[in-house]
Amino acid sequence: MRQPRSDHRPRRFARAVAGAAVALAAVLGAGGWAADTQRAITGPPPGTAAWIADTTLGLRLPDPATASPAAVAAFFEQVPAAGQDALAVRHPLVVGNLDGAPVRLRYRANALALAEERGRELARATDPALPPRDQATAHGRAERYRTLLDGGRQVLAFDPRGRGLVAEVHGDLTATGRTAVVVPGSDIDLLSFDRPTDPYGTPTGMARALYDATGRQSAVIAWAGYTTPVGLGPDAATETLARAGAQRLTRLLDGLAVTTRPTAPATVFCHSYGSVVCGLARPGPEQAAGLVVLGSPGMGVDSAADLDPRVPLWATGRNGSDWIGNVPNVSLLGLGHGADPTDPGFGARPLPATGSHGHTGYFAPGTASLAAFAALTLGR
């Protein structure tokens, strides 16, 4: 008698579950459990309702939720300088975060927004109705806002919601022909955007190092413009936050294309979990001159062939002390980020990592990786 054919589906499912469990365990074991999950900051910036209702210029203002950066740029081209400045004063959080708005107008708007938010936090820091912990948090935020207001810093985006989002420009974004964007990984927000410890593990430290390495012939954006995972837990092992971040990165790149008029689109440097954001964004040639991944756990794709073939992809070699090498490159049941971009079979162009140390040392001065990053930014 013919034996019934065995069904291998339960066995395959069990293997998939086991693989996903291994992936999550490896991610968690690399840096400890982060029990809380983050809610991505999405949608238009605070103050959008008042912006849309503003009719003082006799013009319909572009809806931040639906207008493309190109449409925003076209709107501002018909508004005289005095009218633009008036909008920035009345709606600083909207104008400061509006991709497609003139760059220098955004700097002005964000300086105004930072000053306003600093005043609010200082009031909270001395509010006797608040518990000491909340007062301390408010004081810390007020101090961060003060540092972002000091020394003529060029803040391209600022959103105080949640853990806070911020982007800063190093160099002259409207004059130089070459630009770069640094997309960070986990544990980056308004408060950790720039810190003296582990400087090359922060967007500001990375951007400053790259800007100097190009001989200050470029402009580099330190972009903490999406909600990143905290610690190494479920958020870091899944793509939820990366998908939301990819949408915001796409708008940033579209905005740069219509406001800076560079000789070439930006070169985008994607560190750690930021490489998942870049992979899911899949920028085209109008948005990016190239993608560079470093310390990557995967890009959320199976190979370079899943990205736009017109945008070159480089993968920085992994140094021996980078713990990301302990994370298995799998994608099962929504866990993990797929194939290793440094694997020759992935299809990325290799970059050296000689001289780098640890997960955040690829932008350190004197490393072969930083020298390669500078050359790519300058189009060499």
Side-chain angles (χ1 to χ4, degrees):
M1 178 186 283
R2 185 186 224 173
Q3 296 295 323
R5 186 168 50 183
S6 66
D7 190 343
H8 295 293
R9 285 177 295 178
R11 190 178 305 169
R12 288 197 299 268
F13 180 75
R15 284 201 296 266
V17 171
V22 168
L24 181 58
V27 170
L28 299 179
W33 173 260
D36 61 326
T37 56
Q38 303 296 303
R39 176 175 295 180
I41 299 299
T42 58
T48 291
W51 162 270
I52 292 175
D54 190 334
T55 59
T56 55
L57 294 183
L59 298 170
R60 185 176 180 179
L61 307 187
D63 186 345
T66 58
S68 69
V72 171
F75 166 80
F76 277 101
E77 285 177 357
Q78 62 179 322
V79 178
Q84 293 183 11
D85 193 64
L87 288 175
V89 171
R90 287 199 298 273
H91 311 283
L93 280 172
V94 174
V95 175
N97 290 288
L98 201 54
D99 291 303
V103 169
R104 297 199 179 280
L105 187 67
R106 292 180 68 176
Y107 293 162
R108 164 133 169 83
N110 284 315
L112 292 170
L114 281 162
E116 288 183 10
E117 291 299 319
R118 180 170 183 264
R120 291 191 182 96
E121 295 297 340
L122 286 174
R124 285 173 51 81
T126 57
D127 186 349
L130 293 179
R133 181 176 178 178
D134 290 348
Q135 290 178 337
T137 298
H139 184 273
R141 282 212 165 201
E143 180 61 17
R144 172 39 52 103
Y145 298 157
R146 183 194 63 77
T147 64
L148 288 170
L149 286 165
D150 283 351
R153 295 177 73 166
Q154 301 175 136
V155 178
L156 186 67
F158 164 66
D159 191 329
R161 291 178 294 176
R163 289 158 47 213
L165 307 176
V166 63
E168 181 182 12
V169 177
H170 299 263
D172 191 338
L173 194 57
T174 59
T176 182
R178 293 288 177 176
T179 60
V181 176
V182 174
V183 181
S186 298
D187 297 307
I188 297 298
D189 53 32
L190 186 68
L191 295 181
S192 58
F193 175 72
D194 184 10
R195 56 180 182 258
T197 58
D198 188 25
Y200 306 114
T202 69
T204 295
M206 294 177 186
R208 283 174 179 158
L210 180 56
Y211 177 53
D212 288 340
T214 65
R216 304 196 169 190
Q217 299 177 48
S218 65
V220 185
I221 301 173
W223 185 73
Y226 79 104
T227 304
T228 68
V230 172
L232 296 168
D235 281 342
T238 62
E239 295 179 351
T240 301
L241 296 180
R243 291 191 182 282
Q247 295 178 9
R248 299 181 73 89
L249 177 61
T250 296
R251 285 193 63 87
L252 170 78
L253 297 176
D254 285 343
L256 293 177
V258 296
T259 56
T260 63
R261 313 213 191 296
T263 56
T267 302
V268 186
F269 294 86
C270 319
H271 178 243
S272 195
Y273 188 83
S275 61
V276 188
V277 176
C278 292
L280 297 180
R282 292 178 172 84
E286 302 83 10
Q287 300 164 313
L291 291 179
V292 182
V293 295
L294 50 143
S296 174
M299 298 186 70
V301 297
D302 293 329
S303 72
D306 294 325
L307 304 175
D308 194 312
R310 298 168 297 174
V311 179
L313 172 67
W314 286 272
T316 308
R318 188 177 297 119
N319 66 62
S321 56
D322 186 345
W323 58 261
I324 203 74
N326 297 324
V327 176
N329 292 105
V330 298
S331 180
L332 295 167
L333 303 181
L335 296 174
H337 304 302
D340 181 357
T342 67
D343 188 316
F346 189 85
R349 308 177 188 190
L351 289 179
T354 308
S356 65
H357 299 284
H359 187 54
T360 59
Y362 297 98
F363 280 87
T367 59
S369 46
L370 179 60
F373 298 164
L376 287 176
T377 300
L378 295 173
R380 295 173 183 166

